[in-house]
Amino acid sequence: MDTCRRYAVALPGTPGGHATARTVIVHRTDRLGPAHEPVYEDTTGNYRFRITGAVAEILTLPAEYGPTHPCLEAVPMP
């Protein structure tokens, strides 16, 4: 299990939209995911991920993102 409390997750821009990537800082919550693993979310609660190693798997994103790759890079934060 990950012991890091915060991660930076890189979200790609909209495909074909020429938008820049966005970085979201997420923190560990008391919630558990489908496999009883920790859930990480941003301060608004709009972005939720489960994180294993350096991979963030999307649980929820705002509708504006539409479909995106389900696994994204997660970088541990101090």
Side-chain angles (χ1 to χ4, degrees), residues 4-70:
C4 187
R5 305 272 316 150
R6 293 183 338 140
Y7 285 89
V9 177
L11 297 169
T14 305
H18 303 289
T20 59
R22 179 175 180 192
T23 301
V24 177
I25 305 298
V26 294
H27 63 280
R28 188 172 173 171
T29 67
D30 292 332
R31 298 177 191 199
L32 296 177
H36 303 287
E37 74 284 358
V39 171
Y40 292 79
E41 67 181 33
D42 73 327
T43 56
T44 66
N46 290 327
Y47 300 87
R48 288 193 183 108
F49 303 92
R50 62 177 164 191
I51 298 175
T52 305
V55 177
E57 186 177 342
I58 298 168
L59 296 175
T60 60
L61 286 178
E64 68 204 41
Y65 273 94
T68 186
H69 194 282

